[in-house]
Amino acid sequence: MIEELTGKFGNEIQGVEADADIPTLTVDVKGTKNLIAWLKEERGFIFLTDLCGIHYPEQENELGVIYHLHNLTANKRLRIKCFVSKKRPQVDSIVSLFAGANWMERETFDFYGIVFTGHPNLTRILNVEYMDYHPLRKEYPLEDATRTDKDDRFFGR
Amino acid sequence: MDLTKEDEKIYSTLNLGPTHPATHGIFQNVLTMNGETIVHAEQTIGYIHRAFEKIAERRPYYQITTLTDRLNYCSSPLNNIGWHLAVEKLLGVETNKRVDYMRIIVMELARIADHLVCNSVIGVDSGALTGFVYLFEEREKIYEIYEDICGARLTTNLGKVGGFDRDFSPEVIAKIRKLMKDLPKVLHQFENLLIRNRIFMDRTINVGGISAERALNYSFTGPCLRAAGVDYDVRVMEPYSSYSDFDFIIPVGQNGDTYDRFCVRQTEMWESIKLINNALENLPEGKFNVEVPAFYMPPKEEVYSRMEPLISHFKMVMGEINVPQKEIYSAVEGANGELGFYVVADGGRAPYRLHFRRPGFIYYQAYPEMITGSMLSDAILTMSSMNIIAGELDA
Amino acid sequence: MSDTNKYNLVEAPEGYSAPGFFATSLDAAVGLARKNSIWPLPFATSCCGIEFMATMGAHYDLGRFGAERLSFSPRQADLLMVMGTIAKKMAPVVQQVYEQMAEPRWVLSVGACASSGGVFDTYSVLQGIDKVVPVDVYVPGCPPRPEQIIEGFMKIQELVGNESLRRRYSPEYKELMKKYGIL
């Protein structure tokens, strides 16, 4: 199946890891939605298991979106990754294909700041609305810097 | 759904939550209602966001077990064992049969505990408070079994990567056997109260239904998906922990409504009882855990007397252990559906990225679609039958 | 007819007694009545809430102490039991619920998360509800056993029984409310 994908979408697929626990493709961000739509319509990957974000500060395209798809009848899983830069973190939203992607994309936006174009309601979902930064990026600390009752010396920070 | 200016004049707004007796957990729904019928629902969650995924980037693998406890806290051992299975997949560790069967017993007990809460709460929300009191007494017995195995009642932090801390003592096995003898009687009593009860059936049949296609589009898993008619169960599709040795049925409903969800959970409890009895009868001999040198401290007598255990103890505490640099996705069948762990390991003590695929978060999105057009009391029952646990929603 | 002299339902307060009457201070009598019929508001957010459900169940039975009637409306509740993690998003809601309660009111903070933030020293969790409401009794634990929740409840009963009827007009109370911004 990987050969078929590289044949059809060859110019968008940037990397293939066939020996990971499930086949993993790294795809250019412009071709992701078409690839996922083709997989859903033509190859039976009708179930979106998961959609999450990731941040690799050392790479040039730092922010990534990771999709896990599942073909229930043939019991095959597939992982698709696409990376965008921090300056222009825009990815096409797949809400029109999978209604379940709605909140998953909102969570990814909340944590990483990746903007999903075409999403019906891209607002923060888990954090407070007035939060002005995207907390799961690697440059932000875990703790709330304004707390007064905990002495950082005792907590090893 | 877009509401026009004229609509807003005749519709009223009702705020359901975040603190509300019937929403078990804190999440808010602002309902737009036409009299008693719901026209639109706007959801707000995140009232208990505890940033598990960010915390996990700081904690070593064995300390993340305590975080997984607090995801779906009605069935903590399931989450714990799911996490241990994920780490074992990462490290490439194979467990022996005894560990697998012990894990199956604990996981099915956790599944029974969770379904006891959900079904009794469906009863409470429809006005039948008696079932709650009877079923919670059975939950106390399950808590006693957990205490014997791991020391805690609710947030269990049970077992470790590679198995358990200690073997099942004869008292534990006697308690499990006694519970498996007494539980069917109580479950029968509870069923007789509700399952063919005219009032309960009128309140739950054709309430909050969803079709199989929409459910799959919303990435439903677990009892909610099985009630809609799709027989997807991770224990059967990708067997883990020797589930393939056992014979059990997956109950499937027809309409995806509240009554189907109630019956699917009830049947799953019966199947879990069968599984536990089976596993207990055929419990193989062996050790209760498998050596995972990356994580387990050698016994103290050896640390104090020989050099290599001392060095490995030191390295483990300081965090210089060998974890391969790869990413895995591992899923177990939690009480609410497919609980997945996506771990990206960079060779260090803590994962580089950990993402929990929480079933409750994903299927709660479909709630407005399920309640539009029904009445307020139906909306309350739909919510309790979906078993939304706030810890799993917000993580 | 059973012999009621054998059972002591509650401890009588100090006072003068003689055939036909019993004299004590009004504070003690009202406190005795209040402490044995507290109407709690279970503000259950997470895992501690499930331990509370077990406490209300038949095995541990908080109803024995007079707290059988749970009130989810703050207007009719005496005791706000905050059980579980309070995130920053939820903190204004806790304060609003506390303001809606009528005096006299008490707050029981159940669990490590409600007392001090617990395990979750993160950007999104309020490090203890005493940042937004005044707390009377803290019950630590993660989650505390039902016996501990009952002990916390019994300490609240002590406070309720000994509270002066004029407390809400005292300057210390007014200072306390001003500190939290509650009018």
Side-chain angles (χ1 to χ4, degrees):
Chain A
M1 192 197 51
I2 304 268
E3 297 79 37
E4 192 186 2
L5 284 170
T6 43
K8 202 166 156 48
F9 294 91
N11 44 344
E12 273 120 15
I13 295 186
Q14 294 164 341
V16 174
E17 292 155 53
D19 56 347
D21 64 318
I22 58 180
T24 308
L25 303 170
T26 311
V27 183
D28 185 59
V29 63
K30 290 188 277 298
T32 315
K33 186 168 177 183
N34 289 336
L35 175 63
I36 295 180
W38 184 80
L39 284 166
K40 180 182 178 206
E41 259 110 58
E42 306 288 330
R43 286 293 171 268
F45 282 86
I46 57 168
F47 195 81
L48 176 71
T49 301
D50 200 15
L51 198 166
C52 60
I54 198 164
H55 181 211
Y56 287 112
E58 327 77 47
Q59 278 181 3
E60 191 200 317
N61 282 342
E62 295 183 16
L63 300 169
V65 179
I66 306 194
Y67 304 84
H68 284 87
L69 297 169
H70 197 176
N71 180 339
L72 293 175
T73 39
N75 194 9
K76 283 199 179 40
R77 288 189 193 264
L78 189 63
R79 185 185 296 139
I80 298 179
K81 299 195 215 186
C82 70
F83 290 95
V84 288
S85 66
K86 245 200 208 171
K87 288 193 280 300
R88 216 179 147 268
Q90 286 170 4
V91 179
D92 281 330
S93 162
I94 58 170
V95 173
S96 53
L97 298 169
F98 296 103
N102 193 325
W103 278 14
M104 299 196 230
E105 289 179 349
R106 278 178 73 182
E107 188 192 18
T108 315
F109 166 70
D110 191 356
F111 285 161
Y112 289 96
I114 298 173
V115 174
F116 289 90
T117 49
H119 191 281
N121 177 23
L122 193 67
T123 48
R124 284 191 185 268
I125 188 169
L126 294 177
N127 284 313
V128 284
E129 301 88 35
Y130 52 81
M131 186 181 246
D132 52 3
Y133 66 103
H134 296 284
L136 244 71
R137 291 192 182 174
K138 292 289 178 185
E139 59 259 22
Y140 298 114
L142 168 68
E143 300 83 15
D144 177 18
T146 60
R147 74 206 187 305
T148 48
D149 56 341
K150 292 182 170 59
D151 191 344
D152 278 346
R153 292 173 298 171
F154 299 132
F155 284 82
R157 314 220 207 286
Chain B
M1 199 196 110
D2 295 321
L3 300 175
T4 64
K5 272 262 177 257
E6 284 78 44
D7 295 336
E8 282 164 33
K9 279 192 229 149
I10 57 170
Y11 293 152
S12 54
T13 317
L14 183 71
N15 181 24
L16 199 68
T19 71
H20 190 279
T23 69
H24 305 280
I26 43 179
F27 31 89
Q28 187 186 27
N29 277 299
V30 177
L31 305 173
T32 313
M33 312 194 54
N34 179 8
E36 180 87 17
T37 319
I38 298 175
V39 165
H40 180 59
E42 181 115 6
Q43 301 169 289
T44 311
I45 63 171
Y47 286 102
I48 196 170
H49 176 55
R50 297 180 278 194
F52 282 176
E53 297 181 6
K54 184 95 184 171
I55 298 179
E57 290 174 8
R58 186 78 79 77
R59 301 259 174 279
Y61 290 89
Y62 43 86
Q63 286 185 1
I64 294 178
T65 319
T66 54
L67 290 181
T68 57
D69 272 341
R70 289 150 176 87
L71 281 173
N72 180 349
Y73 35 75
C74 294
S75 55
S76 306
L78 258 171
N79 310 336
N80 293 139
I81 295 178
W83 170 243
H84 293 146
L85 286 167
V87 179
E88 285 166 19
K89 189 171 178 181
L90 182 68
L91 298 176
V93 171
E94 290 267 332
T95 44
N96 61 18
K97 281 280 178 192
R98 187 177 175 89
V99 167
D100 283 346
Y101 281 41
M102 283 164 79
R103 278 180 170 168
I104 288 184
I105 293 175
V106 172
M107 285 199 278
E108 295 305 316
L109 272 177
R111 196 185 309 280
I112 292 178
D114 197 297
H115 290 338
L116 283 176
V117 174
C118 184
N119 276 356
S120 56
V121 158
I122 296 180
V124 166
D125 283 345
S126 57
L129 290 147
T130 318
F132 176 86
V133 184
Y134 277 79
L135 291 186
F136 258 70
E137 187 58 36
E138 301 308 306
R139 232 180 108 85
E140 289 291 327
K141 299 189 182 136
I142 298 184
Y143 281 170
E144 283 180 29
I145 297 174
Y146 289 164
E147 268 184 324
D148 253 308
I149 300 178
C150 69
R153 283 162 53 102
L154 185 69
T155 50
T156 49
N157 192 4
L158 193 145
K160 39 192 218 185
V161 178
F164 287 81
D165 301 291
R166 60 183 76 84
D167 207 352
F168 282 176
S169 61
E171 287 87 23
V172 168
I173 298 201
K175 275 189 183 159
I176 299 177
R177 285 221 167 93
K178 182 163 190 307
L179 178 67
M180 290 299 116
K181 239 169 27 124
D182 294 338
L183 188 60
K185 285 183 246 165
V186 178
L187 274 185
H188 271 305
Q189 278 181 325
F190 177 70
E191 269 182 17
N192 289 340
L193 281 178
L194 290 177
I195 256 189
R196 299 304 293 173
N197 181 329
R198 177 87 242 157
I199 303 175
F200 186 74
M201 286 169 75
D202 274 342
R203 283 212 63 182
T204 53
I205 295 187
N206 286 329
V207 163
I210 189 165
S211 68
E213 293 78 34
R214 287 306 286 163
L216 283 174
N217 208 340
Y218 272 107
S219 300
F220 269 43
T221 45
C224 296
L225 180 65
R226 291 196 276 278
V230 180
D231 60 342
Y232 172 48
D233 187 330
V234 184
R235 295 176 287 175
V236 173
M237 179 140 308
E238 294 168 347
Y240 52 89
S241 186
S242 300
Y243 266 106
S244 42
D245 291 353
F246 294 91
D247 203 9
F248 56 99
I249 60 171
I250 307 178
V252 163
Q254 288 169 322
N255 304 329
D257 58 14
T258 306
Y259 189 68
D260 281 349
R261 285 190 281 270
F262 179 85
C263 293
V264 161
R265 289 205 170 92
Q266 201 64 23
T267 318
E268 282 188 7
M269 279 201 268
W270 290 113
E271 291 302 308
S272 294
I273 294 180
K274 259 187 11 209
L275 268 168
I276 297 178
N277 282 330
N278 240 332
L280 212 49
E281 290 316 305
N282 305 322
L283 196 59
E285 296 301 318
K287 195 156 185 289
F288 52 85
N289 71 356
V290 164
E291 292 301 322
V292 182
F295 289 115
Y296 290 104
M297 317 268 209
K300 274 290 196 275
E301 310 83 58
E302 291 182 29
V303 171
Y304 287 141
S305 51
R306 286 176 35 224
M307 186 49 112
E308 294 82 25
L310 177 67
I311 294 179
S312 71
H313 184 282
F314 180 75
K315 277 169 111 167
M316 242 173 265
V317 171
M318 287 293 122
E320 295 164 16
I321 46 180
N322 286 334
V323 174
Q325 285 191 7
K326 58 183 192 174
E327 52 189 5
I328 55 122
Y329 175 80
S330 157
V332 290
E333 179 72 18
N336 274 345
E338 176 181 341
L339 177 66
F341 301 90
Y342 173 59
V343 187
V344 177
D346 62 349
R349 194 164 94 128
Y352 184 80
R353 166 90 170 113
L354 169 58
H355 177 70
F356 298 108
R357 188 247 185 225
R358 312 175 304 275
F361 176 74
I362 293 177
Y363 66 59
Y364 186 50
Q365 299 174 69
Y367 183 65
E369 190 174 307
M370 288 158 89
I371 61 167
T372 335
S374 60
M375 295 200 262
L376 179 61
S377 24
D378 297 338
I380 303 283
L381 268 182
T382 311
M383 189 185 311
S384 31
S385 75
M386 286 169 83
N387 200 24
I388 312 288
I389 308 268
E392 197 177 46
L393 209 53
D394 296 344
Chain C
M1 262 309 269
S2 58
D3 188 4
T4 49
N5 283 342
K6 279 199 286 220
Y7 302 105
N8 187 18
L9 283 176
V10 286
E11 291 291 326
E14 293 179 8
Y16 293 108
S17 105
F21 78 95
F22 179 81
T24 177
S25 71
L26 184 61
D27 280 359
V30 171
L32 178 69
R34 275 184 180 153
K35 77 179 189 189
N36 291 309
S37 67
I38 297 180
W39 286 11
L41 194 169
F43 199 97
T45 51
S46 61
C47 348
C48 287
I50 306 292
E51 279 300 51
F52 175 72
M53 283 158 86
T55 313
M56 284 302 294
H59 204 97
Y60 292 101
D61 201 10
L62 199 59
R64 299 178 273 166
F65 297 89
E68 181 67 46
R69 196 263 189 196
L70 302 178
S71 154
F72 284 93
S73 160
R75 307 273 186 208
Q76 299 171 359
D78 297 319
L79 172 67
L80 176 67
M81 299 175 80
V82 181
M83 299 174 283
T85 321
I86 300 293
K88 296 211 175 117
K89 209 169 181 176
M90 193 66 183
V93 179
V94 179
Q95 194 171 44
Q96 215 178 2
V97 167
Y98 181 75
E99 280 173 17
Q100 289 177 342
M101 286 168 75
E103 281 146 349
R105 54 194 175 186
W106 295 272
V107 177
L108 175 67
S109 149
V110 176
C113 292
S115 307
S116 72
V119 200
F120 303 107
D121 188 9
T122 72
Y123 57 84
S124 65
V125 170
L126 190 69
Q127 304 293 305
I129 60 167
D130 48 12
K131 304 247 183 295
V132 289
V133 293
V135 177
D136 292 297
V137 174
Y138 299 84
V139 181
C142 192
R145 280 192 65 105
E147 287 97 338
Q148 289 175 278
I149 301 180
I150 292 179
E151 189 186 349
F153 191 83
M154 286 166 74
K155 291 240 178 315
I156 289 270
Q157 280 186 317
E158 260 179 55
L159 287 176
V160 174
N162 295 332
E163 180 155 310
S164 139
L165 288 179
R166 304 290 303 166
R167 182 180 179 229
R168 75 192 73 158
Y169 306 109
S170 65
E172 293 89 11
Y173 186 80
K174 294 200 169 107
E175 258 320 299
L176 187 65
M177 292 293 119
K178 224 163 57 177
K179 200 164 70 119
Y180 282 99
I182 299 171
L183 299 146

